[in-house]
Amino acid sequence: MHTHRSWAVNTRHVVAYHRGRVMVRYREGTQEIPLSDKWRESFLSGLPNLRAD
């Protein structure tokens, strides 16, 4: 799923959303991926169980 013009993430690895950033499980930790205004609504509607921190 797109999060930014240059980024897409596998929704099975998304663990949290916080202030325009998506936290994604990556190897042994997490990585922050930008979430642009253009993609925010469709991204969050596609993950109804995701809570904003």
Side-chain angles (χ1 to χ4, degrees), residues 2 6-11 13 16 18 20-22 25 28 31 34 38 41 44-45 51-53:
H2 269 98
S6 302
W7 289 90
V9 298
N10 182 334
T11 56
H13 297 282
H18 182 69
R21 298 270 186 202
V22 177
R25 256 186 323 227
E28 296 175 4
Q31 182 174 1
K38 178 181 178 181
E41 186 177 332
L44 294 176
S45 67
R51 293 188 343 209
D53 288 340

Side-chain angles (χ1 to χ4, degrees), residues 4-40:
H4 192 268
R5 176 176 43 156
S6 302
W7 289 90
V9 298
N10 182 334
T11 56
R12 290 186 285 171
H13 297 282
V14 173
V15 293
Y17 160 75
H18 182 69
R19 294 186 186 179
R21 298 270 186 202
V22 177
M23 307 299 195
V24 179
R25 256 186 323 227
Y26 182 73
R27 294 186 182 163
E28 296 175 4
T30 59
Q31 182 174 1
E32 292 185 4
I33 306 295
L35 180 60
S36 70
D37 293 334
K38 178 181 178 181
W39 297 99
R40 181 172 290 135

